[in-house]
Amino acid sequence: MNQQLDLKSKNFYSSISNSFDSSSTFIDNMKLPVHRWFRFSAGFSAQWVETIINHFKDQRETIVLDPFAGSGTTLLVSEKLGVQCFGIEAHPFVARIARSKLLYQTDVDDYLKHITKVIKRAENLQACIDTYPKLIHQCFSISSLESLDRFRQAWEELADDSSQSQLVWLTLVSILRHVSYAGTAPWQYILPNKKKQSFLEPMSAFRLMSEIIATDIRIVGKMAASTATLIQSDARTCQGIPDNFANLVITSPPYANNYDYADATRLEMCFMKEISGWSDLQSTVRQYLIRSCSQHVTNKNVNFDEILASPELDPLKPSIIATCHQLFQERNLHGGKKNYHLMIACYFLDMSRVWTALRRVCKTPATVCFVIGDSAPYGVYIPVIEWMATLAEAAGFTSFEFEKIRDRNVKWKNRKHRVPLCEGRLWVRG
Ligand SMILES: C[S@@+](CC[C@H](N)C(=O)[O-])C[C@H]1O[C@@H](n2cnc3c(N)ncnc32)[C@H](O)[C@@H]1O
C-alpha cells in the first residue's frame, strides 16, 4: 500500500461522527419511525448515517450508494434528506423487508382498510397447521399458530401488487418474534430450546404493529421525497447501478466472522413457507451472498487451491495464502472441523470483486465508508481492515483512514479465543 493505514488515527472523519459510538448497532433505530418496523440486528444507526449524509450534502451534490443495504437504513435516511440513493441487497427476504419499508408513503387509510379486510377474512378461515415445518411447531403454541395461520392464509388470498398488500405482509412477518415463545440470539438466530417469559397473543400483536405502521406513515409519509431505490442484486457486480454514479458510499458489509445471514430469517421464511428448514437456506439465500460463514463453503463447492490462485487476491499475497494454510492446519486440531480456511479465501475474493465494482459505479473522487470489524477464527488473527484497504487501493481508490469505534472480544470470560478485536469505520477516498 502506498499509504500506511493508521489504525488508531482520529482526525478528519472522527470530527464528523465522533459522538456515534453506537453507529454500528441497530438498537436506536427501534425508536425511529419506519426503521422500527422490522428489527434487523445486523443494521447500523440511522442517526449516524444522517450525520454523514448531511455533512457531505452541505458541501456538494451528493449521490449515495449502499451496496449492502440490509433492512434499508441508508435508503430511508437518504429519502428523509431528499438525497438520491441506490441500495443493493442480495438476501431475497431482507430485500423484501427493505422494499416494504420504502412504501411508507402508502395512503394510511388504504393500508388500514387492507388490515381490516385481512382480519375479517381470517375470522372465517379454518386453520391448517399440519404442513408447517418442525421449527414453526417448536416456536409457537398451537392456538397462536392457528391464529397466525389464519392471518397468513387471509393475506395470501387477498394479496395483490398494491403497496398496502405489501405492507400487510410486513406487518405479519414483523410480529412473529413477538408472538413466539422461543428466544432469539443476539444475532437474530431463533432459539427453539430457549423459552421466553413473555410473548404476545397474535391478534393483539397484529393490531399493535398495524397501529405503529399507521402512526409512522402519518408522521413521515407526507414528507417523503421518493429518492431511494432498492435493487435485489449483488454487490460483487453492482449490476443495475450506472457507471460513475455515486460520490458517497455508506455501507456495512458482512463481517468475516461466521454470521449466517441466511439463518437470521429462518423463522420468518419457514412461517411463510418459502423454505421447509435449515437445509433449504443454501439454495434460497446463501448462494447469493458474500461467503462470510463456514456453512456457505464446503470442499464440494469450493476448490481451495483455485481460489487462492485467483488473480483478484494478488494484492493480498503472500499473507493470505499463509493465513489460510494456518487455518487449514488449525482445523485438524478442533472438533468442529470448520472450513474457515475456505471462508477467508472466498470472503476476500468476494470483497475484491466488490471493490472493483465500487470503483466502476463511483465517481472520481468519491468517499466510501465501510463499517467493519476484524475477526480471528480458531484464534488466527485476520487483518480484515488492512486487507480491505489493500483491495480498495488495488481497485483504484487512493487514501484510507480507520476510525475505531470499539474493542471487541476483550472480556475473556467464556471466549473461544483471546485475540483482541475491534470494530470501526474504514474511510476510503479516490
Ligand atoms: C451488515 S448487513 C447491512 C445492514 C444495513 N446497514 C442495515 O442497516 O440494515 C450486511 C447485508 O449485506 C447483505 N449481503 C450479503 N451478501 C451480499 C451481496 N453479495 N450483495 C448485496 N448484499 C449482500 C446481507 O444479506 C446483509 O443484509
Side-chain angles (χ1 to χ4, degrees):
M1 275 168 62
N2 296 335
Q3 185 192 314
Q4 212 34 43
L5 185 70
D6 177 3
L7 297 186
K8 292 198 180 72
S9 70
K10 280 242 173 233
N11 37 49
F12 172 66
Y13 292 109
S14 344
S15 64
I16 313 174
S17 49
N18 210 5
S19 56
F20 283 97
D21 280 358
S22 61
S23 64
S24 63
T25 74
F26 194 79
I27 299 168
D28 292 342
N29 294 7
M30 290 311 286
K31 296 181 208 132
L32 298 176
V34 187
H35 294 277
R36 62 179 173 165
W37 291 356
F38 188 87
R39 187 186 195 99
F40 189 53
S41 311
F44 54 26
S45 153
Q47 279 171 302
W48 169 73
V49 173
E50 189 168 335
T51 307
I52 300 303
I53 297 180
N54 267 328
H55 174 86
F56 281 88
K57 109 182 206 307
D58 286 349
Q59 310 195 356
R60 68 188 79 91
E61 196 201 347
T62 298
I63 301 179
V64 178
L65 170 69
D66 184 344
F68 299 98
S71 61
T73 308
T74 307
L75 291 154
L76 288 168
V77 173
S78 297
E79 286 217 337
K80 180 180 173 191
L81 302 177
V83 168
Q84 200 187 348
C85 176
F86 267 109
I88 298 175
E89 174 55 51
H91 187 317
F93 191 88
V94 175
R96 190 169 178 184
I97 296 282
R99 263 199 309 266
S100 307
K101 284 164 78 179
L102 285 169
L103 297 173
Y104 60 89
Q105 294 173 64
T106 300
D107 182 276
V108 71
D109 295 327
D110 290 344
Y111 166 66
L112 288 172
K113 267 186 218 150
H114 208 87
I115 285 282
T116 307
K117 269 200 242 170
V118 167
I119 291 175
K120 284 215 168 104
R121 178 69 64 98
E123 280 165 4
N124 296 317
L125 287 168
Q126 191 73 33
C128 172
I129 62 171
D130 299 346
T131 53
Y132 281 100
K134 187 173 163 212
L135 175 74
I136 297 303
H137 289 277
Q138 291 172 317
C139 292
F140 298 99
S141 69
I142 291 177
S143 67
S144 288
L145 185 52
E146 285 177 343
S147 181
L148 286 171
D149 175 66
R150 283 191 287 268
F151 283 133
R152 194 191 57 76
Q153 286 189 54
W155 175 79
E156 227 167 60
E157 283 184 17
L158 295 166
D160 54 33
D161 54 13
S162 68
S163 58
Q164 54 270 27
S165 169
Q166 196 51 235
L167 280 176
V168 176
W169 172 86
L170 181 64
T171 314
L172 181 55
V173 297
S174 61
I175 64 169
L176 296 177
R177 305 271 171 157
H178 301 292
V179 172
S180 170
Y181 51 50
T184 290
W187 279 4
Q188 215 159 319
Y189 301 142
I190 190 76
L191 301 171
N193 295 328
K194 197 173 164 201
K195 298 287 180 256
K196 281 191 305 203
Q197 295 295 331
S198 65
F199 44 92
L200 296 177
E201 181 276 317
M203 179 61 89
S204 327
F206 194 67
R207 284 192 191 281
L208 198 66
M209 188 53 76
S210 57
E211 275 164 31
I212 289 172
I213 291 179
T215 304
D216 291 357
I217 291 175
R218 285 191 191 101
I219 297 170
V220 290
K222 290 192 197 83
M223 298 185 260
S226 286
T227 56
T229 309
L230 187 277
I231 305 177
Q232 191 180 323
S233 175
D234 190 334
R236 288 168 290 194
T237 58
C238 287
Q239 202 179 343
I241 310 289
D243 292 0
N244 300 314
F245 171 77
N247 55 3
L248 178 61
V249 175
I250 306 176
T251 200
S252 178
Y255 295 8
N257 64 358
N258 220 26
Y259 173 49
D260 185 0
Y261 283 95
D263 204 1
T265 56
R266 180 154 51 118
L267 176 81
E268 289 80 5
M269 293 179 76
C270 277
F271 176 74
M272 295 310 287
K273 301 192 173 173
E274 292 177 19
I275 55 169
S276 51
W278 193 87
S279 57
D280 291 339
L281 290 173
Q282 181 67 23
S283 60
T284 51
V285 182
R286 237 180 255 126
Q287 62 156 325
Y288 304 113
L289 308 183
I290 296 289
R291 291 168 287 184
S292 60
C293 66
S294 56
Q295 296 87 317
H296 198 153
V297 286
T298 65
N299 292 321
K300 283 192 194 134
N301 64 19
V302 173
N303 181 320
F304 187 42
D305 294 329
E306 259 176 34
I307 297 284
L308 284 181
S310 308
E312 288 117 309
L313 288 178
D314 283 352
L316 303 181
K317 290 173 189 170
S319 324
I320 193 165
I321 295 180
T323 304
C324 289
H325 281 286
Q326 193 185 345
L327 286 169
F328 182 62
Q329 301 295 327
E330 279 296 324
R331 181 180 189 271
N332 298 322
L333 309 174
H334 300 262
K337 301 261 178 296
K338 300 224 177 187
N339 286 325
Y340 291 137
H341 59 301
L342 301 179
M343 178 188 100
I344 292 298
C346 291
Y347 178 81
F348 283 98
L349 175 58
D350 287 351
M351 293 313 302
S352 171
R353 291 172 178 163
V354 169
W355 282 109
T356 303
L358 285 180
R359 186 61 283 177
R360 176 183 71 75
V361 298
C362 281
K363 291 181 194 295
T364 306
T367 301
V368 180
C369 179
F370 268 38
V371 176
I372 189 74
D374 47 19
S375 67
Y378 283 150
V380 176
Y381 181 68
I382 312 295
V384 173
I385 294 140
E386 199 183 311
W387 286 0
M388 204 68 97
T390 304
L391 290 174
E393 183 185 47
F397 292 94
T398 49
S399 70
F400 319 93
E401 202 175 290
F402 183 68
E403 199 193 334
K404 186 161 98 174
I405 308 170
R406 61 190 185 99
D407 291 310
R408 295 187 300 141
N409 205 46
V410 284
K411 293 179 188 150
W412 306 126
K413 213 173 149 204
N414 297 329
R415 289 284 163 180
K416 287 189 184 150
H417 64 75
R418 298 187 163 205
V419 180
L421 299 173
C422 76
E423 192 173 25
R425 297 176 276 255
L426 175 65
W427 292 91
V428 170
R429 278 188 289 180

